[in-house]
Amino acid sequence: MPRIPRVKQTSDFWAFAKAGRKLGDLHVNYEDAKSYPVELKIGGKKSLDDLTDDDYRVDKKWSYLKKSDKTKDFTQVKYNKQITITGIPEEAYEYMVNGRPALEWVMERQMVKTDKASGIVNDANDFAIETMNNPKYPLELFQKVVTVSLETMKIVRALPKLNEFYEG
């Protein structure tokens, strides 16, 4: 069941209701969100225009670049051998799904992996090409989830503060 705070003022209730509608629409229609304007660094190619469909294939694992030996740079993600995504706002990692940032959830689901028990290969590239008819789908999905994450946190931060729940 949803957790509905019992608030003292009607205006606070309607603020929560309005935010819930916005969040519901944003999350249900996440694929319609605008792609966040990240920057793409291309290795070995001169420009984005030179990339082929194969250059957008997701590798086995996305990875963060490192700031130093011990810290990850969350603003940069190695998408594959050709593409590095840069300009990711660190605030986008504040939106959590099942205890982890939504962006990390996308990174985990949009890669090639083999189930150890069955040997079945789960290849996000197959879904992108066969179902979405778009080899860039994993990259574009990541950009859209950046937008959804930022918008979600903006809506949540704008909610009325609850110092205590109304018991009356």
Side-chain angles (χ1 to χ4, degrees), residues 12-71:
D12 288 345
F13 170 81
W14 288 112
F16 276 95
K18 184 178 177 183
R21 281 191 198 100
K22 283 182 183 178
L23 289 169
D25 182 57
L26 181 64
H27 293 182
V28 167
N29 299 305
Y30 68 95
E31 289 198 34
D32 296 331
K34 290 183 180 179
S35 292
Y36 188 83
V38 296
E39 296 175 36
L40 302 178
K41 289 186 180 177
I42 310 304
K45 297 278 184 173
K46 293 184 178 178
S47 73
L48 281 173
D49 295 334
D50 295 331
L51 296 178
T52 65
D53 288 352
D54 282 343
D55 292 322
Y56 286 98
R57 289 190 63 81
V58 175
D59 287 339
K60 290 204 178 262
K61 185 161 176 116
W62 301 35
S63 61
Y64 295 109
L65 298 185
K66 294 186 176 184
K67 286 184 182 178
S68 67
D69 289 338
K70 295 183 181 183
T71 60

Side-chain angles (χ1 to χ4, degrees), residues 103-141:
L103 290 176
E104 289 184 1
W105 185 88
V106 170
M107 289 165 56
E108 179 186 313
R109 300 293 185 287
Q110 297 296 313
M111 65 180 181
V112 180
K113 57 186 165 190
T114 304
D115 182 70
K116 290 179 184 177
S118 67
I120 295 173
V121 176
N122 183 9
D123 188 340
N125 299 298
D126 292 342
F127 176 79
I129 294 165
E130 295 167 9
T131 304
M132 303 307 291
N133 298 314
N134 180 5
K136 299 177 188 177
Y137 177 77
L139 176 62
E140 292 172 355
L141 177 63

Side-chain angles (χ1 to χ4, degrees), residues 120-167:
I120 295 173
V121 176
N122 183 9
D123 188 340
N125 299 298
D126 292 342
F127 176 79
I129 294 165
E130 295 167 9
T131 304
M132 303 307 291
N133 298 314
N134 180 5
K136 299 177 188 177
Y137 177 77
L139 176 62
E140 292 172 355
L141 177 63
F142 183 83
Q143 290 177 266
K144 290 176 181 190
V145 173
V146 171
T147 299
V148 169
S149 297
L150 293 171
E151 289 299 312
T152 295
M153 294 314 298
K154 185 170 29 170
I155 293 167
V156 168
R157 285 189 189 105
L159 287 169
K161 299 290 181 218
L162 294 174
N163 294 330
E164 58 187 69
F165 286 97
Y166 179 65
E167 298 294 333

